[in-house]
Every structure is written in C-alpha cells, then in structure tokens.
Amino acid sequence: MSAGSAVDTGSAAKRPKDRKARIALAAAELFCERGYHRVGIDDIAAVVGISGPAIYNHFPNKYAMLRHTTLALSDAVMAATELPAGIEEPYERLDALLTELARLGVQRRRVGGLYQWEGRYLEAEDKARLRSDSRTVVERLADPLTMLRPEVEPAQARLLARAVLSLVGSLSTHRAAIAPARGQELLRAGGWRLLRAEPAPATTPAQQPAPTPDAGLRPRRETIMAEAVRLFHLHGYHAVTMDDIAAASGTRASSLYRHFAGKGELLAAVYYRAADRVAATTAEALAAASSPADALSRLVDSYAGMVFGQSDLVAVYHAENTNLPEADRHELRRAQRAHVEEWVRVLGLERPELSSGDCRILAHGALNLIADLARAVRYDNRAGADRMIASLALDLLTAPS
C-alpha cells in the first residue's frame, strides 16, 4: 500500500475508521521520501485528502507522527521475530525468522527508512526504545545461530545478525522494481548466505589511518567543506548553521558566502565530491580486474576502503540526500544509479543465472550492508572490521544458496 493509495475521497460525514492509520502511513512514506524536516502537516493532509487542521484530531504535532510511525515499525519487527514457542530446533527457528523478516522487508519497503535514518530525529527516550528493540531482534537471531554453529563466538553471531537486518532493510534504500515473492526469496536466501559466512577477524594487519592534513595548508574552500562534513555527521544537516561552519573553518561568515551561496549548495558540493570519489574508486577497481570474480572482489574492497577511510563523508552521503536541492538530488541519483549498475553488470557476468533485477537487489544489499555495519562498528578498522565486513558483502554476492 502506498501513500498515494491512502487518499480519502469520502466526505467528513463518512470519515473512515482507519483515518489515523492512513495519516500515519502517508506521513511515514513522505518522511522517507523527502526527509522529516522537508515534510509539512499540509503535505501529509494533501495525500490523505483532508485539511491540515483535521490531522490534529489524531496527532498533536508532526513529531507525534514520526514517533508513532517509527515505533510502530519497530513493533512490527519485534512481532515478526517473536516466534511461537513450538519452534525450538535452531535451523527451523532461523529459517522462520528469515522468512518473517524477508516478508516484512518487502511489505514495509516504503517506510523502512524510518528505521535507518529518520529515527535519528527522535527524542532521547524514544531513541533508547529503538536501540533496546534492535538489540532484542539481534539476539533473537544470534542465539539460535550460536546453537546451530557453536564455533561462532557470540560477538560474531551478533555481527552476522546485524548483517541480515542490513540486507532486509536494503530494499528501503532504492526503488528497483521486483516482484514481492521474488524479493522475499532473495532476502531469505541472502540471509542464509550471511548466517553461514565465516566472520573470522582478518589476519592481515589493519590499515593505518591516514595522517590528518594540516587544515592551515588546505585551500579555504576545502577547509569549509571538510568542516561542514564533520558537523553534518556529528549533528545532522538541520542542526548545523552556516555560522557554525564559518566558526569551525575559521572563516568570516561574509567570506563563507563567497564560496557557497547557502547551506544547500554546500551540501550539494559535498555530495558531488563523494560521488566523484565513488566513481574514481570504482573505475580503478575495474581497471585492475582480471576476471568478473576478481572485479567483484575489488569493487567490494574499494567501497569498504572508502567507507572506512572517509567515514564522515560517506556517512553524510548516505544520511542527508533528502536535504539536497531538488535539481542536485536528481543529478546525484543518476550518479548513484550508475555506480550500482556497474556492480549489477559485473555480478551478472559472474552469476549469469541471475536476472538483472536479482543482481540489482543483491548489489544494493551488499552496499547497504557495508555502510550499515561500518556505522555499527563506528568505522573502527583496527581489528580488521573493514575486511570482515567486505568478506560478508562478497559472500552475499557470490556464495551459493
């Protein structure tokens, strides 16, 4: 069901009993599509087919809708992973959990972004509730996994469980078309590939962090962009002002506007920089490849290296796209699609039994897994987390079902 299908064409005298649910669905889909701060009460009302003030009969404000919809999604995930007591055998439990999560991932695809990104706008108490629910879901996957695979350490089992949840949530990060039944099949099979993976720490030395450049030696525009990225990552785009960026970069506010007309233009410049770096690392990986299998491995390694090596930039790249100016958003989405299509092309060469649609779902799943798990380990690669996560993404793409 989409927000567009929630339009109420009836009169006030025939107010539907599920109007609150329709409002909540419309709000959730708009928050995910445009970003929480870019959606107004009147936008939500227009989708439902009512006046703005009529929404206040059901929700006191916009935050109440964000809270309601995000916690309702969390409740749905909790319900999907609360299996009947009669399913005790570890393999059967895991298979039932994967089946339910895959179903939910497809069914709630249009609102999954609430869990991944828009939930950051919740107040502390509600964020704590989300974190608690998330830990419970992870344990519900990790516990039977350690019973099925006693050689897997509890921390490794939790990492694999998080990988599964990242895969399930990846459908909400893109709009690639796929039949619901096939989507569920791919998510379930991919979940099993991840749960069977070997997440052993890398034996090769962890990469040493690059030296921090002297900010005083950078061009002023570069310093401004670097500080903007850092602040956007720490506080979120909407909490940061141009005055904050000017102060952090040692720039007078009047001088700042000589480089960027406004915060939106600055954010767009950050995105174009990230898109250029993604394109460059992708081109380098493919140019050095000797076979489709080697190309896939290089694509995964190069992307993981970029995520860990430029974590602030990549985190902003994934989190703030709904805040881009409209023209830039369309242009950058084309660049993002071009990047994904390179993965799709190479994966199709390596696994010709898969359709291009299947390859696209798996490519998005691998990309989301890398970004998600890197964020979960706070971009710390000192224990080889970057190589572990890259290995999981490659298993998702290439391991037999």
Side-chain angles (χ1 to χ4, degrees):
M1 183 176 181
S2 68
S5 65
V7 174
D8 173 21
T9 58
S11 66
K14 297 180 179 178
R15 178 181 300 169
K17 294 181 179 179
D18 65 344
R19 176 166 284 172
K20 182 173 182 177
R22 294 186 182 199
I23 293 170
L25 177 61
E29 293 188 352
L30 287 174
F31 292 156
C32 292
E33 179 184 347
R34 302 181 192 174
Y36 174 67
H37 287 286
R38 293 171 66 101
V39 176
I41 293 291
D42 288 341
D43 298 323
I44 298 166
V47 171
V48 184
I50 59 177
S51 67
I55 282 185
Y56 296 110
N57 293 325
H58 304 277
F59 295 99
N61 50 43
K62 189 173 74 166
Y63 180 81
M65 283 184 273
L66 177 66
R67 180 183 187 277
H68 174 90
T69 54
T70 306
L71 295 184
L73 179 60
S74 186
D75 288 343
V77 176
M78 291 284 283
T81 56
E82 189 172 1
L83 299 177
I87 308 177
E88 298 296 341
E89 198 276 325
Y91 177 88
E92 291 181 358
R93 285 192 69 79
L94 285 171
D95 196 54
L97 286 168
L98 290 178
T99 299
E100 285 300 302
L101 286 170
R103 177 192 60 77
L104 191 65
V106 172
Q107 184 184 79
R108 302 292 181 96
R109 179 182 186 182
R110 290 176 63 94
V111 299
L114 291 172
Y115 217 78
Q116 285 200 301
W117 300 115
E118 300 311 308
R120 63 193 161 139
Y121 298 121
L122 291 174
E123 295 174 357
E125 183 179 353
D126 296 325
K127 283 184 181 176
R129 155 80 187 279
L130 273 188
R131 287 194 294 269
S132 175
D133 287 355
S134 178
R135 287 193 294 269
T136 297
V137 172
V138 166
E139 293 298 337
R140 287 174 177 177
L141 281 163
D143 286 348
L145 179 59
T146 55
M147 296 172 65
L148 185 67
R149 300 181 60 192
E151 77 280 8
V152 175
E153 297 291 332
Q156 294 176 333
R158 288 192 291 272
L159 178 69
L160 295 179
R162 290 185 183 280
V164 169
L165 296 174
S166 294
L167 170 63
V168 170
S170 69
L171 283 188
S172 67
T173 66
H174 61 91
R175 301 177 182 180
I178 190 165
R182 181 56 178 162
Q184 291 180 42
E185 182 182 349
L186 283 172
L187 292 182
R188 177 180 166 277
W192 269 119
R193 285 198 293 276
L194 293 171
L195 293 180
R196 292 181 177 125
E198 298 295 338
T203 56
T204 55
Q207 296 178 4
Q208 296 300 314
T212 302
D214 186 333
L217 300 178
R218 287 187 301 213
R220 177 60 58 188
R221 181 182 174 90
E222 294 299 315
T223 299
I224 293 169
M225 289 178 63
E227 289 302 320
V229 166
R230 184 180 66 82
L231 293 174
F232 291 158
H233 183 203
L234 283 175
H235 308 297
Y237 174 79
H238 285 278
V240 177
T241 68
M242 289 291 272
D243 285 343
D244 295 331
I245 297 167
S249 61
T251 308
R252 292 194 304 272
S254 58
S255 298
L256 188 65
Y257 288 97
R258 295 176 190 167
H259 296 276
F260 301 98
K263 195 167 66 164
E265 182 178 303
L266 177 48
L267 180 65
V270 167
Y271 265 78
Y272 284 114
R273 173 64 52 81
D276 287 344
R277 290 182 179 174
V278 168
T281 57
T282 299
E284 289 171 7
L286 294 178
S290 59
S291 67
D294 184 38
L296 270 182
S297 180
R298 289 176 182 272
L299 282 173
V300 168
D301 286 345
S302 67
Y303 188 71
M306 181 178 172
V307 168
F308 277 86
Q310 301 179 53
S311 57
D312 283 2
L313 179 63
V314 173
V316 171
Y317 183 73
H318 283 285
E320 303 292 355
N321 66 87
T322 56
N323 295 310
L324 287 165
E326 196 66 25
D328 294 301
R329 193 190 314 181
H330 288 302
E331 181 64 28
L332 285 159
R333 278 179 177 169
R334 280 197 290 270
Q336 290 169 338
R337 285 195 294 270
H339 174 230
V340 171
E341 288 308 307
E342 290 290 2
W343 285 55
V344 171
R345 179 179 66 83
V346 174
L347 181 56
L349 293 172
E350 174 62 13
R351 298 188 62 188
E353 77 278 8
L354 295 177
S355 69
S356 61
D358 290 353
C359 291
R360 199 164 288 111
I361 297 301
L362 291 176
H364 278 291
L367 289 164
N368 194 63
L369 184 152
I370 292 169
D372 241 9
L373 294 189
R375 190 166 67 251
V377 301
R378 299 182 185 276
Y379 305 100
D380 186 348
N381 66 358
R382 288 175 297 180
D386 51 347
R387 297 183 64 82
M388 289 165 52
I389 292 169
S391 176
L392 286 176
L394 193 59
D395 277 344
L396 173 65
L397 295 172
T398 62
S401 300

Short mmCIF file of all heavy atoms in Angstrom, two decimals, residues 107-155:
data_model
loop_
_atom_site.label_atom_id
_atom_site.label_comp_id
_atom_site.label_asym_id
_atom_site.label_seq_id
_atom_site.Cartn_x
_atom_site.Cartn_y
_atom_site.Cartn_z
N GLN A 107 7.17 -6.00 2.54
CA GLN A 107 5.88 -5.38 2.84
C GLN A 107 6.03 -3.93 3.31
O GLN A 107 5.24 -3.06 2.95
CB GLN A 107 5.18 -6.20 3.94
CG GLN A 107 3.80 -5.73 4.29
CD GLN A 107 3.22 -6.55 5.44
OE1 GLN A 107 3.54 -6.34 6.61
NE2 GLN A 107 2.40 -7.53 5.09
N ARG A 108 7.05 -3.65 4.11
CA ARG A 108 7.25 -2.30 4.67
C ARG A 108 8.37 -1.55 3.94
O ARG A 108 8.98 -0.64 4.51
CB ARG A 108 7.57 -2.39 6.16
CG ARG A 108 6.52 -3.10 7.00
CD ARG A 108 5.22 -2.31 7.09
NE ARG A 108 4.24 -2.98 7.90
CZ ARG A 108 4.02 -2.71 9.20
NH1 ARG A 108 4.74 -1.79 9.80
NH2 ARG A 108 3.10 -3.37 9.86
N ARG A 109 8.61 -1.90 2.71
CA ARG A 109 9.74 -1.32 1.98
C ARG A 109 9.70 0.21 1.93
O ARG A 109 10.72 0.87 2.08
CB ARG A 109 9.74 -1.88 0.55
CG ARG A 109 10.82 -1.34 -0.33
CD ARG A 109 10.73 -1.91 -1.73
NE ARG A 109 11.87 -1.49 -2.53
CZ ARG A 109 12.05 -1.81 -3.80
NH1 ARG A 109 11.14 -2.57 -4.42
NH2 ARG A 109 13.11 -1.38 -4.46
N ARG A 110 8.54 0.77 1.74
CA ARG A 110 8.43 2.22 1.54
C ARG A 110 8.61 3.01 2.84
O ARG A 110 8.77 4.23 2.80
CB ARG A 110 7.09 2.57 0.90
CG ARG A 110 6.98 2.11 -0.55
CD ARG A 110 5.59 2.39 -1.10
NE ARG A 110 5.30 3.81 -1.12
CZ ARG A 110 5.49 4.62 -2.17
NH1 ARG A 110 5.99 4.13 -3.29
NH2 ARG A 110 5.19 5.90 -2.12
N VAL A 111 8.60 2.33 3.97
CA VAL A 111 8.76 3.06 5.23
C VAL A 111 9.99 2.58 6.02
O VAL A 111 10.21 3.03 7.14
CB VAL A 111 7.50 2.93 6.11
CG1 VAL A 111 6.30 3.53 5.40
CG2 VAL A 111 7.22 1.49 6.50
N GLY A 112 10.78 1.71 5.43
CA GLY A 112 11.96 1.19 6.13
C GLY A 112 12.98 2.26 6.47
O GLY A 112 13.77 2.11 7.41
N GLY A 113 12.97 3.36 5.72
CA GLY A 113 13.90 4.44 6.01
C GLY A 113 13.69 5.07 7.37
O GLY A 113 14.60 5.71 7.92
N LEU A 114 12.51 4.91 7.96
CA LEU A 114 12.28 5.40 9.32
C LEU A 114 13.28 4.78 10.27
O LEU A 114 13.82 5.44 11.17
CB LEU A 114 10.85 5.05 9.78
CG LEU A 114 9.70 5.78 9.09
CD1 LEU A 114 8.38 5.16 9.52
CD2 LEU A 114 9.72 7.26 9.43
N TYR A 115 13.51 3.48 10.10
CA TYR A 115 14.40 2.74 10.99
C TYR A 115 15.84 3.12 10.75
O TYR A 115 16.64 3.23 11.68
CB TYR A 115 14.20 1.24 10.73
CG TYR A 115 14.27 0.37 11.95
CD1 TYR A 115 13.20 0.28 12.82
CD2 TYR A 115 15.40 -0.38 12.22
CE1 TYR A 115 13.25 -0.53 13.93
CE2 TYR A 115 15.47 -1.20 13.33
CZ TYR A 115 14.39 -1.27 14.19
OH TYR A 115 14.45 -2.06 15.30
N GLN A 116 16.20 3.32 9.46
CA GLN A 116 17.60 3.56 9.13
C GLN A 116 18.04 5.00 9.36
O GLN A 116 19.14 5.24 9.83
CB GLN A 116 17.86 3.17 7.68
CG GLN A 116 17.92 1.67 7.46
CD GLN A 116 18.64 1.32 6.17
OE1 GLN A 116 18.23 1.73 5.10
NE2 GLN A 116 19.72 0.58 6.28
N TRP A 117 17.19 5.98 8.99
CA TRP A 117 17.66 7.35 9.00
C TRP A 117 16.76 8.32 9.77
O TRP A 117 17.26 9.11 10.56
CB TRP A 117 17.81 7.86 7.56
CG TRP A 117 18.80 7.05 6.78
CD1 TRP A 117 18.54 6.27 5.69
CD2 TRP A 117 20.19 6.91 7.04
NE1 TRP A 117 19.69 5.65 5.26
CE2 TRP A 117 20.72 6.03 6.07
CE3 TRP A 117 21.05 7.44 8.00
CZ2 TRP A 117 22.07 5.68 6.04
CZ3 TRP A 117 22.39 7.09 7.96
CH2 TRP A 117 22.88 6.22 6.99
N GLU A 118 15.47 8.28 9.54
CA GLU A 118 14.62 9.32 10.13
C GLU A 118 14.47 9.16 11.63
O GLU A 118 14.14 10.12 12.33
CB GLU A 118 13.25 9.33 9.44
CG GLU A 118 13.33 9.62 7.94
CD GLU A 118 14.19 10.81 7.59
OE1 GLU A 118 13.97 11.90 8.16
OE2 GLU A 118 15.10 10.65 6.76
N GLY A 119 14.73 7.97 12.16
CA GLY A 119 14.66 7.75 13.60
C GLY A 119 15.67 8.56 14.38
O GLY A 119 15.53 8.73 15.60
N ARG A 120 16.69 9.11 13.70
CA ARG A 120 17.68 9.93 14.41
C ARG A 120 17.08 11.22 14.93
O ARG A 120 17.68 11.90 15.77
CB ARG A 120 18.86 10.25 13.48
CG ARG A 120 18.48 11.06 12.27
CD ARG A 120 19.62 11.06 11.26
NE ARG A 120 19.12 11.43 9.95
CZ ARG A 120 19.75 12.24 9.11
NH1 ARG A 120 20.92 12.72 9.44
NH2 ARG A 120 19.23 12.52 7.94
N TYR A 121 15.89 11.60 14.42
CA TYR A 121 15.25 12.82 14.88
C TYR A 121 14.36 12.59 16.10
O TYR A 121 13.71 13.52 16.58
CB TYR A 121 14.42 13.44 13.74
CG TYR A 121 15.26 13.83 12.55
CD1 TYR A 121 15.02 13.29 11.30
CD2 TYR A 121 16.31 14.74 12.69
CE1 TYR A 121 15.80 13.64 10.20
CE2 TYR A 121 17.09 15.09 11.61
CZ TYR A 121 16.84 14.54 10.37
OH TYR A 121 17.61 14.88 9.29
N LEU A 122 14.32 11.37 16.59
CA LEU A 122 13.53 11.08 17.78
C LEU A 122 14.20 11.66 19.02
O LEU A 122 15.43 11.85 19.06
CB LEU A 122 13.37 9.57 17.95
CG LEU A 122 12.49 8.85 16.93
CD1 LEU A 122 12.55 7.35 17.16
CD2 LEU A 122 11.06 9.34 16.97
N GLU A 123 13.40 11.89 20.03
CA GLU A 123 13.95 12.35 21.30
C GLU A 123 14.63 11.19 22.02
O GLU A 123 14.44 10.03 21.67
CB GLU A 123 12.83 12.95 22.15
CG GLU A 123 12.24 14.21 21.53
CD GLU A 123 11.03 14.75 22.27
OE1 GLU A 123 10.60 14.10 23.25
OE2 GLU A 123 10.49 15.78 21.84
N ALA A 124 15.44 11.52 23.02
CA ALA A 124 16.33 10.54 23.65
C ALA A 124 15.59 9.30 24.15
O ALA A 124 16.05 8.16 23.94
CB ALA A 124 17.09 11.20 24.80
N GLU A 125 14.47 9.48 24.79
CA GLU A 125 13.74 8.33 25.34
C GLU A 125 13.26 7.40 24.24
O GLU A 125 13.33 6.17 24.37
CB GLU A 125 12.54 8.82 26.16
CG GLU A 125 11.75 7.70 26.82
CD GLU A 125 10.59 8.22 27.66
OE1 GLU A 125 10.48 9.46 27.82
OE2 GLU A 125 9.81 7.40 28.14
N ASP A 126 12.79 7.97 23.14
CA ASP A 126 12.31 7.14 22.04
C ASP A 126 13.47 6.47 21.30
O ASP A 126 13.35 5.33 20.85
CB ASP A 126 11.48 8.00 21.07
CG ASP A 126 10.23 8.54 21.75
OD1 ASP A 126 9.66 7.83 22.59
OD2 ASP A 126 9.83 9.68 21.44
N LYS A 127 14.60 7.16 21.19
CA LYS A 127 15.78 6.53 20.61
C LYS A 127 16.23 5.34 21.44
O LYS A 127 16.62 4.30 20.91
CB LYS A 127 16.92 7.54 20.51
CG LYS A 127 16.82 8.53 19.37
CD LYS A 127 18.06 9.41 19.34
CE LYS A 127 17.98 10.44 18.23
NZ LYS A 127 19.14 11.35 18.25
N ALA A 128 16.18 5.50 22.76
CA ALA A 128 16.56 4.40 23.65
C ALA A 128 15.65 3.20 23.45
O ALA A 128 16.11 2.05 23.46
CB ALA A 128 16.52 4.87 25.10
N ARG A 129 14.37 3.45 23.25
CA ARG A 129 13.43 2.36 22.98
C ARG A 129 13.80 1.64 21.68
O ARG A 129 13.79 0.40 21.62
CB ARG A 129 12.02 2.95 22.92
CG ARG A 129 11.01 2.18 22.10
CD ARG A 129 10.40 0.98 22.80
NE ARG A 129 9.58 0.25 21.85
CZ ARG A 129 8.33 0.61 21.51
NH1 ARG A 129 7.75 1.67 22.06
NH2 ARG A 129 7.66 -0.11 20.62
N LEU A 130 14.14 2.40 20.64
CA LEU A 130 14.53 1.78 19.38
C LEU A 130 15.79 0.94 19.53
O LEU A 130 15.88 -0.17 19.00
CB LEU A 130 14.78 2.86 18.32
CG LEU A 130 13.62 3.38 17.49
CD1 LEU A 130 14.14 4.28 16.39
CD2 LEU A 130 12.79 2.26 16.91
N ARG A 131 16.78 1.47 20.25
CA ARG A 131 18.02 0.72 20.46
C ARG A 131 17.76 -0.57 21.22
O ARG A 131 18.33 -1.62 20.92
CB ARG A 131 19.04 1.58 21.20
CG ARG A 131 19.65 2.69 20.34
CD ARG A 131 20.88 3.27 21.02
NE ARG A 131 20.53 3.96 22.26
CZ ARG A 131 20.24 5.25 22.33
NH1 ARG A 131 20.24 6.00 21.23
NH2 ARG A 131 19.96 5.81 23.50
N SER A 132 16.90 -0.50 22.23
CA SER A 132 16.58 -1.70 23.00
C SER A 132 15.89 -2.75 22.13
O SER A 132 16.23 -3.94 22.19
CB SER A 132 15.67 -1.32 24.18
OG SER A 132 15.26 -2.46 24.89
N ASP A 133 14.94 -2.32 21.30
CA ASP A 133 14.26 -3.24 20.40
C ASP A 133 15.25 -3.86 19.42
O ASP A 133 15.20 -5.07 19.13
CB ASP A 133 13.16 -2.52 19.62
CG ASP A 133 11.95 -2.20 20.48
OD1 ASP A 133 11.91 -2.62 21.66
OD2 ASP A 133 11.04 -1.51 19.99
N SER A 134 16.16 -3.04 18.92
CA SER A 134 17.14 -3.53 17.96
C SER A 134 18.03 -4.60 18.58
O SER A 134 18.31 -5.64 17.96
CB SER A 134 17.99 -2.37 17.44
OG SER A 134 18.97 -2.82 16.55
N ARG A 135 18.47 -4.36 19.81
CA ARG A 135 19.29 -5.37 20.49
C ARG A 135 18.53 -6.67 20.68
O ARG A 135 19.09 -7.76 20.52
CB ARG A 135 19.77 -4.82 21.84
CG ARG A 135 20.86 -3.76 21.74
CD ARG A 135 21.48 -3.51 23.10
NE ARG A 135 20.53 -2.92 24.03
CZ ARG A 135 20.36 -1.60 24.19
NH1 ARG A 135 21.07 -0.75 23.47
NH2 ARG A 135 19.48 -1.14 25.06
N THR A 136 17.25 -6.56 21.00
CA THR A 136 16.44 -7.76 21.19
C THR A 136 16.34 -8.56 19.89
O THR A 136 16.49 -9.79 19.89
CB THR A 136 15.03 -7.37 21.67
OG1 THR A 136 15.12 -6.73 22.94
CG2 THR A 136 14.13 -8.60 21.80
N VAL A 137 16.10 -7.87 18.78
CA VAL A 137 15.98 -8.55 17.49
C VAL A 137 17.30 -9.22 17.11
O VAL A 137 17.32 -10.36 16.63
CB VAL A 137 15.52 -7.56 16.40
CG1 VAL A 137 15.59 -8.20 15.02
CG2 VAL A 137 14.11 -7.08 16.69
N VAL A 138 18.40 -8.53 17.34
CA VAL A 138 19.71 -9.11 17.04
C VAL A 138 19.92 -10.39 17.85
O VAL A 138 20.38 -11.42 17.33
CB VAL A 138 20.83 -8.09 17.33
CG1 VAL A 138 22.20 -8.77 17.35
CG2 VAL A 138 20.82 -6.99 16.27
N GLU A 139 19.59 -10.35 19.13
CA GLU A 139 19.76 -11.54 19.98
C GLU A 139 18.85 -12.68 19.55
O GLU A 139 19.22 -13.86 19.65
CB GLU A 139 19.50 -11.19 21.44
CG GLU A 139 20.53 -10.25 22.06
CD GLU A 139 21.94 -10.83 22.07
OE1 GLU A 139 22.08 -12.08 22.03
OE2 GLU A 139 22.90 -10.04 22.10
N ARG A 140 17.66 -12.36 19.05
CA ARG A 140 16.74 -13.41 18.60
C ARG A 140 17.30 -14.15 17.38
O ARG A 140 16.95 -15.32 17.15
CB ARG A 140 15.37 -12.82 18.28
CG ARG A 140 14.58 -12.43 19.51
CD ARG A 140 13.29 -11.71 19.15
NE ARG A 140 12.51 -11.41 20.36
CZ ARG A 140 11.36 -10.74 20.36
NH1 ARG A 140 10.86 -10.28 19.21
NH2 ARG A 140 10.71 -10.51 21.49
N LEU A 141 18.14 -13.49 16.61
CA LEU A 141 18.83 -14.17 15.51
C LEU A 141 20.12 -14.82 15.98
O LEU A 141 20.46 -15.93 15.56
CB LEU A 141 19.14 -13.16 14.40
CG LEU A 141 18.01 -12.76 13.47
CD1 LEU A 141 18.37 -11.48 12.72
CD2 LEU A 141 17.70 -13.87 12.47
N ALA A 142 20.86 -14.13 16.84
CA ALA A 142 22.17 -14.61 17.24
C ALA A 142 22.10 -15.86 18.12
O ALA A 142 22.94 -16.75 18.01
CB ALA A 142 22.93 -13.50 17.97
N ASP A 143 21.10 -15.94 19.00
CA ASP A 143 21.02 -17.08 19.93
C ASP A 143 20.88 -18.42 19.21
O ASP A 143 21.67 -19.34 19.47
CB ASP A 143 19.87 -16.87 20.93
CG ASP A 143 20.21 -15.82 21.97
OD1 ASP A 143 21.38 -15.42 22.06
OD2 ASP A 143 19.28 -15.37 22.68
N PRO A 144 19.91 -18.59 18.32
CA PRO A 144 19.83 -19.88 17.63
C PRO A 144 21.02 -20.11 16.69
O PRO A 144 21.39 -21.26 16.42
CB PRO A 144 18.52 -19.81 16.84
CG PRO A 144 18.18 -18.36 16.75
CD PRO A 144 18.75 -17.72 17.96
N LEU A 145 21.64 -19.02 16.21
CA LEU A 145 22.81 -19.19 15.34
C LEU A 145 23.97 -19.80 16.11
O LEU A 145 24.66 -20.69 15.60
CB LEU A 145 23.22 -17.84 14.74
CG LEU A 145 24.45 -17.88 13.82
CD1 LEU A 145 24.22 -18.82 12.64
CD2 LEU A 145 24.80 -16.48 13.33
N THR A 146 24.20 -19.37 17.35
CA THR A 146 25.28 -19.95 18.14
C THR A 146 24.97 -21.40 18.52
O THR A 146 25.89 -22.20 18.72
CB THR A 146 25.53 -19.13 19.41
OG1 THR A 146 24.31 -19.00 20.15
CG2 THR A 146 26.06 -17.75 19.07
N MET A 147 23.70 -21.76 18.61
CA MET A 147 23.34 -23.16 18.84
C MET A 147 23.59 -24.00 17.59
O MET A 147 24.06 -25.13 17.67
CB MET A 147 21.87 -23.25 19.26
CG MET A 147 21.55 -22.59 20.58
SD MET A 147 19.77 -22.54 20.92
CE MET A 147 19.42 -24.29 21.08
N LEU A 148 23.27 -23.43 16.43
CA LEU A 148 23.47 -24.14 15.17
C LEU A 148 24.96 -24.21 14.81
O LEU A 148 25.42 -25.21 14.26
CB LEU A 148 22.70 -23.43 14.06
CG LEU A 148 22.69 -24.11 12.69
CD1 LEU A 148 21.92 -25.43 12.74
CD2 LEU A 148 22.08 -23.18 11.63
N ARG A 149 25.70 -23.15 15.14
CA ARG A 149 27.12 -23.06 14.80
C ARG A 149 27.90 -22.74 16.07
O ARG A 149 28.30 -21.60 16.31
CB ARG A 149 27.37 -22.00 13.74
CG ARG A 149 26.65 -22.23 12.43
CD ARG A 149 27.00 -21.13 11.43
NE ARG A 149 28.44 -21.08 11.16
CZ ARG A 149 29.06 -20.09 10.52
NH1 ARG A 149 28.36 -19.06 10.07
NH2 ARG A 149 30.36 -20.12 10.33
N PRO A 150 28.16 -23.72 16.92
CA PRO A 150 28.83 -23.45 18.21
C PRO A 150 30.23 -22.88 18.06
O PRO A 150 30.77 -22.31 19.02
CB PRO A 150 28.84 -24.82 18.90
CG PRO A 150 28.61 -25.81 17.83
CD PRO A 150 27.78 -25.14 16.79
N GLU A 151 30.83 -23.00 16.88
CA GLU A 151 32.17 -22.45 16.69
C GLU A 151 32.16 -20.93 16.55
O GLU A 151 33.20 -20.26 16.62
CB GLU A 151 32.83 -23.06 15.44
CG GLU A 151 32.35 -22.52 14.10
CD GLU A 151 31.03 -23.10 13.61
OE1 GLU A 151 30.38 -23.84 14.39
OE2 GLU A 151 30.64 -22.80 12.46
N VAL A 152 30.97 -20.36 16.33
CA VAL A 152 30.85 -18.91 16.16
C VAL A 152 30.74 -18.24 17.52
O VAL A 152 29.88 -18.58 18.33
CB VAL A 152 29.62 -18.57 15.29
CG1 VAL A 152 29.42 -17.07 15.21
CG2 VAL A 152 29.77 -19.16 13.90
N GLU A 153 31.63 -17.28 17.77
CA GLU A 153 31.59 -16.53 19.02
C GLU A 153 30.34 -15.66 19.08
O GLU A 153 29.83 -15.23 18.05
CB GLU A 153 32.83 -15.64 19.14
CG GLU A 153 34.15 -16.39 19.20
CD GLU A 153 34.31 -17.16 20.51
OE1 GLU A 153 33.71 -16.71 21.52
OE2 GLU A 153 34.98 -18.19 20.51
N PRO A 154 29.84 -15.38 20.29
CA PRO A 154 28.63 -14.55 20.40
C PRO A 154 28.74 -13.20 19.70
O PRO A 154 27.79 -12.75 19.04
CB PRO A 154 28.47 -14.37 21.92
CG PRO A 154 29.09 -15.60 22.50
CD PRO A 154 30.25 -15.93 21.60
N ALA A 155 29.90 -12.53 19.79
CA ALA A 155 30.05 -11.24 19.11
C ALA A 155 29.99 -11.41 17.60
O ALA A 155 29.42 -10.56 16.89
CB ALA A 155 31.38 -10.59 19.52
#
